[in-house]
Amino acid sequence: MSEFWLISAPGDRENLQALERMNTVTSKSNLSYNTKFAIPDFKVGTLDSLVGLSDELGKLDTFAESLIRRMAQSVVEVMEDSKGKAQEHLLANGGRWGGPLMWSAVSWLCPKQSRLGCGHTRGDTIAKQLAQIETDLKSRTAAYNTLKTNLENLEKKSMGNLFTRTLSDIVSKEDFVLDSEYLVTLLVIVPKPNYSQWQKTYESLSDMVVPRSTKLITEDKEGGLFTVTLFRKVIEDFKSKARENKFTVREFYYDEKEIKREREEMARLLSDKKQQYQTSCVALKKGSSTFPDHKVKVTPLGNPDRPAAGQSDRERESEGEGEGPLLRWLKVNFSEAFIAWIHIKALRVFVESVLRYGLPVNFQAVLLQPHKKSSAKRLREVLNSVFRHLDEVAATSILDASVEIPGLQLSNQDYFPYVYFHIDLSLLD
């Protein structure tokens, strides 16, 4: 499942035993995979200041999730010819954003003695980093979308019927009489049923039409494009007589420089678009980052010898050599944004745990991954049963929706006896 539950309970002996009971039940029943989620001890200001910080982190959490979803969607849009492979490029700290990624994304940005609730906080640092990523995302995707739109406009010219499509990729210099003071070659669209009539009548539609000067250049399902050469001074008369016979003179004059320019523009746009996600000779250098190189190890509950996958930022970046600049930027900064998002979740767990369980700081956070969607209800029942003693009113209200929790503005579905945050990794849905 692409879903994780981040919870915490007090760190005293009774509740640590409750966590072990939870782990035993969920493991035996194959409900979830559980991992201890280590969070450093921060210096805490006042509890009142943490209330305001809680609100700020909630907003930052929403912003971060929105940002990484937009980045994931941008990867899909850039890789339009291979959307099924987009997920392979959504990595964080060297791991996929399902399963191993969560075990490797937990690292820390600032000194462990950062003070929460007053002055500069980790939340401020993360917010600035995410704001810069969003600014860059907007500018880069805007440039890409402009390129894509320009290319689509040119591609539209090469589609459609003979009345509207560009002719630069159809005609050639040899199809026209050029640089003549008296003669000119016109292009005429003739309906398919009228081919025979055209061949019989085009020389007599006007005076001064060059005999046997017509040639079929191309055709579509509706008609064909013919050339005809005549004297310049009878152009308007020929057009008028052609219309009367259901022949349409296409307004086109061969300009070799303009045709060359249009072809080169199409080739350039195709190349520029392709280079956004394929091999590019332009090396994109990663700018300065708030996140240092790091490797992470977390300890799964009940299996302390199982290490989690970890990979340094430098290793991840080296793997991106040879990729187009936009795709490479998205990969690197998706990782940065995702790790920041998980940090925000961790900060929220810390703040809410202190507000819920009080000082001194003493709690244990655990990351749960439900094995399947159908097990989520049973997993919730296990958690509510194990931690019922933390808040009897909340536990009762979960079972009975008619019971209100005094002073709580959230719906009962949002509040549990333990601290709980949901992490939804269905980023491409």
Side-chain angles (χ1 to χ4, degrees):
M1 283 184 67
S2 56
E3 175 183 2
F4 292 81
W5 297 3
L6 186 53
I7 70 168
S8 81
D12 57 74
R13 182 177 178 180
E14 177 186 2
N15 285 290
L16 290 178
Q17 290 175 345
L19 283 171
E20 289 301 324
R21 290 199 305 275
M22 174 208 72
N23 189 58
T24 299
V25 173
T26 56
S27 298
K28 286 183 177 180
S29 302
N30 197 31
L31 295 177
S32 63
Y33 175 71
N34 311 322
T35 301
K36 287 183 179 179
F37 195 93
I39 300 178
D41 290 334
F42 297 99
K43 290 183 178 179
V44 180
T46 64
L47 292 180
D48 288 342
S49 64
L50 289 185
V51 174
L53 180 58
S54 176
D55 293 338
E56 293 175 10
L57 289 173
K59 295 176 183 177
L60 187 57
D61 187 352
T62 301
F63 170 72
E65 181 175 0
S66 171
L67 177 60
I68 64 171
R69 289 185 183 279
R70 280 180 282 159
M71 297 180 77
Q73 187 58 42
S74 293
V75 171
V76 172
E77 292 173 359
V78 171
M79 299 190 67
E80 56 186 19
D81 294 329
S82 53
K83 292 183 179 180
K85 295 184 178 180
Q87 185 170 319
E88 297 177 6
H89 296 274
L90 299 177
L91 310 175
N93 202 26
R96 295 281 174 83
W97 41 262
L101 174 144
M102 290 300 301
W103 318 132
S104 63
V106 187
S107 58
W108 298 100
L109 312 179
C110 307
K112 291 185 178 181
Q113 296 305 312
S114 296
R115 180 177 293 274
L116 288 179
C118 60
H120 179 74
T121 68
R122 294 188 185 209
D124 296 331
T125 304
I126 296 173
K128 290 177 182 177
Q129 177 71 3
L130 292 177
Q132 184 59 54
I133 290 176
E134 183 190 40
T135 298
D136 293 345
L137 176 65
K138 287 180 177 179
S139 63
R140 289 173 182 270
T141 53
Y144 176 75
N145 288 333
T146 298
L147 170 65
K148 186 177 178 181
T149 298
N150 292 340
L151 181 58
E152 287 173 349
N153 289 338
L154 276 180
E155 288 175 338
K156 285 179 182 178
K157 291 183 179 180
S158 64
M159 300 188 303
N161 57 36
L162 294 172
F163 292 92
T164 59
R165 63 158 295 156
T166 182
L167 302 178
S168 61
D169 58 337
I170 294 177
V171 299
S172 64
K173 185 176 181 180
E174 291 70 27
D175 297 324
F176 298 85
V177 174
L178 302 174
D179 304 321
S180 171
E181 182 179 353
Y182 301 104
L183 296 176
V184 64
T185 299
L186 301 181
L187 297 178
V188 182
I189 301 171
V190 180
K192 279 190 174 181
N194 297 7
Y195 278 10
S196 177
Q197 180 189 356
W198 167 257
Q199 293 287 356
K200 293 177 182 178
T201 63
Y202 80 90
E203 294 179 5
S204 60
L205 289 178
S206 177
D207 295 334
M208 310 181 82
V209 176
V210 177
R212 288 180 290 183
S213 63
T214 192
K215 178 177 68 172
L216 176 63
I217 296 178
T218 189
E219 60 182 348
D220 58 20
K221 62 182 181 180
E222 297 175 354
L225 186 69
F226 289 81
T227 61
V228 61
T229 301
L230 44 82
F231 278 76
R232 291 182 181 273
K233 65 181 184 179
V234 298
I235 289 178
E236 294 306 319
D237 181 56
F238 182 87
K239 287 182 178 180
S240 176
K241 295 293 177 57
R243 281 194 298 270
E244 293 176 5
N245 288 272
K246 299 182 180 180
F247 307 138
T248 304
V249 177
R250 171 78 188 263
E251 295 295 337
F252 180 87
Y253 295 94
Y254 188 88
D255 184 332
E256 193 167 15
K257 290 183 179 179
E258 178 61 22
I259 288 177
K260 182 180 179 181
R261 185 202 65 77
E262 187 173 324
R263 288 173 177 169
E264 289 177 347
E265 178 68 4
M266 173 70 83
R268 182 188 67 79
L269 290 174
L270 280 170
S271 176
D272 288 351
K273 184 182 177 186
K274 202 172 186 180
Q275 286 181 1
Q276 296 303 311
Y277 63 91
Q278 290 190 348
T279 301
S280 172
C281 60
V282 180
L284 176 69
K285 294 185 177 180
K286 180 183 173 187
S288 60
S289 170
T290 304
F291 306 105
D293 289 346
H294 49 258
K295 289 179 179 286
V296 181
K297 180 178 180 181
V298 295
T299 306
L301 282 173
N303 188 6
D305 295 327
R306 173 180 170 180
Q311 187 180 34
S312 70
D313 288 340
R314 288 197 183 98
E315 288 170 341
R316 284 187 289 113
E317 189 174 358
S318 65
E319 288 180 357
E321 295 296 338
E323 292 170 346
L326 179 55
L327 179 59
R328 185 157 176 247
W329 182 90
L330 285 168
K331 287 178 63 174
V332 170
N333 286 276
F334 174 87
S335 176
E336 299 287 332
F338 187 94
I339 294 171
W341 184 40
I342 301 305
H343 290 165
I344 294 167
K345 292 290 188 183
L347 289 172
R348 294 192 73 188
V349 169
F350 183 93
V351 171
E352 296 304 322
S353 296
V354 173
L355 290 174
R356 183 83 70 91
Y357 309 136
L359 294 172
V361 177
N362 185 23
F363 68 90
Q364 176 63 59
V366 177
L367 187 67
L368 298 85
Q369 183 181 16
H371 286 315
K372 50 188 176 180
K373 193 171 184 179
S374 59
S375 66
K377 182 178 180 181
R378 173 57 182 155
L379 179 59
R380 182 69 70 191
E381 291 173 351
V382 170
L383 293 177
N384 292 337
S385 175
V386 170
F387 298 110
R388 180 186 182 93
H389 63 281
L390 294 177
D391 193 331
E392 290 286 350
V393 175
T396 301
S397 69
I398 294 167
L399 299 176
D400 184 356
S402 65
V403 176
E404 296 183 359
I405 305 175
L408 186 66
Q409 301 300 315
L410 299 173
S411 67
N412 292 349
Q413 289 78 10
D414 296 321
Y415 186 85
F416 303 96
Y418 45 89
V419 170
Y420 163 81
F421 290 102
H422 182 254
I423 303 174
D424 181 6
L425 298 187
S426 54
L427 304 180
L428 297 180
D429 293 346

